[in-house]
């Protein structure tokens, strides 16, 4: 794509994504103005809770967080009395696939600047402030959208890119690779190519990349699993360029091998067997982070509710889309066999044992889950499988940010980005209260959720 067609795309985007969204809200006047959010319960994201607390924001940055009485404000600060409300950091989602989804439709034909921006706004609407798109972005276009966002021309969740590496013909699930216009992963057929590829990605400014360690043999015929000597080369080279690698791996044996060879982040937890003490010790010693993507593996559980039956999703979706989601819904029935129950119990035990390592990721945009909405479903699943609400919030905010060195987001502290949600109920009482969103602020600016909802539900 050349720059002039990109400029046209951006122009379209401003017309269609809505001027109400592009313009600052009334209560935000200039970058130096201060806003005080006071008398709220503040869940800081790193485990602390301040009752009757305040957050003081200047421009896009938090100046101070503390008890309301301890905060010094200028007389000119805009004041928001939040008695009875709760503030939590905006969520940090480390695993989704932006650009491909158009609700019911899906494919590379939708990968446009406009659709990418829409996906950033859909995350923002639901209080997700940061999103890492993992291994499926059309990199040239995605990088331009990211650049426009850094310049302040596109709002929504902060967009991070994570190019993918895999064996030739390998990579993501067949839905991607069956698409005739799939642009492919960066092939790494041997250690030399792995070293070259990581260096190239680093030279292009990428600080995060993904590898697939998955053969998917039966479904697409003898795809060769990324070999340990190749991922060793990836991991070693990446570490010397301060690049963070996240590995897609689903078996306990692959997890152990990857940790042994230097991997510290996983998409998917071991699904094939119960985790053992050896693994638990390895991940503790090496401070390993794991995205369990529970939403993806619980669709046949009896408690599963499709998004189009949940007002938290369907209230902001066009009626025509809902109709088609409804019409096309043809799931396998809930599996309540003894084997399925045993497997569910095993996965819940794994999640509970891994809970201090868990971070947020939804895989939304790849498997039929919806941006932003799926994040709240995932939080609920964290708690259903054994985390406390407080632990689920830490996992989805500060720990997710820490896993990728995203130091400005994920917690509410002086010097951090002013990215947070204001809730009407306390999520520590019931994790589903993260859905009681009154407002979302990103970069110190109120996200105009009403305007977005209007635009989407027309
Ligand atoms: Zn994925």
């Amino acid at each position: 794509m050349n720059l002039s067609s990109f400029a046209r795309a951006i122009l379209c985007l401003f017309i269609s994504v809505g001027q109400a969204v592009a313009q600052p809200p009334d209560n935000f006047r200039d970058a130096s103005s201060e806003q005080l959010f006071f008398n709220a319960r503040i869940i800081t994201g790193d485990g602390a809770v301040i009752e009757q607390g305040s957050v003081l924001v200047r421009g896009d940055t938090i100046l101070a967080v503390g008890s309301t009485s301890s905060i010094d404000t200028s007389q000119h600060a805009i004041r928001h009395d939040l008695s009875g409300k709760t503030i939590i950091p905006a969520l940090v989602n480390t695993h989704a696939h932006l650009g491909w989804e158009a609700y019911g439709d899906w494919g590379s034909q939708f990968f446009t600047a406009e659709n990418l921006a829409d996906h950033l706004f859909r995350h923002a609407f639901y209080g997700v402030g940061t999103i890492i798109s993992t291994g499926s972005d059309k990199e040239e276009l995605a990088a331009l959208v990211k650049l426009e966002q850094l310049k302040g021309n596109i709002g929504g969740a902060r967009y991070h890119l994570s190019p993918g590496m895999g064996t030739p013909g390998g990579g993501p699930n067949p839905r991607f690779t069956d698409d005739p216009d799939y642009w492919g992963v960066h092939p790494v057929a041997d250690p030399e190519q792995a070293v070259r590829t990581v260096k190239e990605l680093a030279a292009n400014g990428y600080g995060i990349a993904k590898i697939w360690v998955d053969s998917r043999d039966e479904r697409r015929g003898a795809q060769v699993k990324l070999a340990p000597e190749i991922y060793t080369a990836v991991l070693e080279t990446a570490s010397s360029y301060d690049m963070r690698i996240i590995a897609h791996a689903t078996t306990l044996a692959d997890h152990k091998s990857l940790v042994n060879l230097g991997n510290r982040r996983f998409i998917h937890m071991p699904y094939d067997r119960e985790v053992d003490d050896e693994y638990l010790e390895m991940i503790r010693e090496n401070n390993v982070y794991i995205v369990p993507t529970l939403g993806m593996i619980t669709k046949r559980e009896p408690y599963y509710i499709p998004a189009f039956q949940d007002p938290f999703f369907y209230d902001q979706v066009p009626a025509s889309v809902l109709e088609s989601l409804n019409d096309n819904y043809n799931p396998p029935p809930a599996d309540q066999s003894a084997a399925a129950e045993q497997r569910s119990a095993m996965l819940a035990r794994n999640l509970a044992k891994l809970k201090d390592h868990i971070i947020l990721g939804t895989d939304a945009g790849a498997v039929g889950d919806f941006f932003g909405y799926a994040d709240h479903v995932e939080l609920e699943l964290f708690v259903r499988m054994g985390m406390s609400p407080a632990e689920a919030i830490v996992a989805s905010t500060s720990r997710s940010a820490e896993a990728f060195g995203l130091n400005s987001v994920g917690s509410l502290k002086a010097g951090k980005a002013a990215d947070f949600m204001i809730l009407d109920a306390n999520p520590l009482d019931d994790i589903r209260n993260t859905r009681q969103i009154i407002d979302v602020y990103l970069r110190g600016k109120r996200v105009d959720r009403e305007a977005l909802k209007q635009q989407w539900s027309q």
Side-chain angles (χ1 to χ4, degrees), residues 6-7 22 75 151 184 203 321 353 364 404 413 450 456:
F6 182 70
Q75 292 171 343
K151 289 183 193 163
V321 167
K353 286 178 188 167
F404 289 92
K413 276 187 199 161
E450 262 321 301
W456 290 328

Side-chain angles (χ1 to χ4, degrees), residues 363-376:
D363 218 358
V367 291
D369 289 311
F370 296 103
F371 298 120
Y373 169 77
D375 297 72
H376 295 265

Side-chain angles (χ1 to χ4, degrees), residues 95-97 134 210 248 267-268 363 366:
H95 173 208
H97 299 274
T134 45
K210 174 177 182 179
H248 163 114
I267 284 174
H268 306 300
D363 218 358

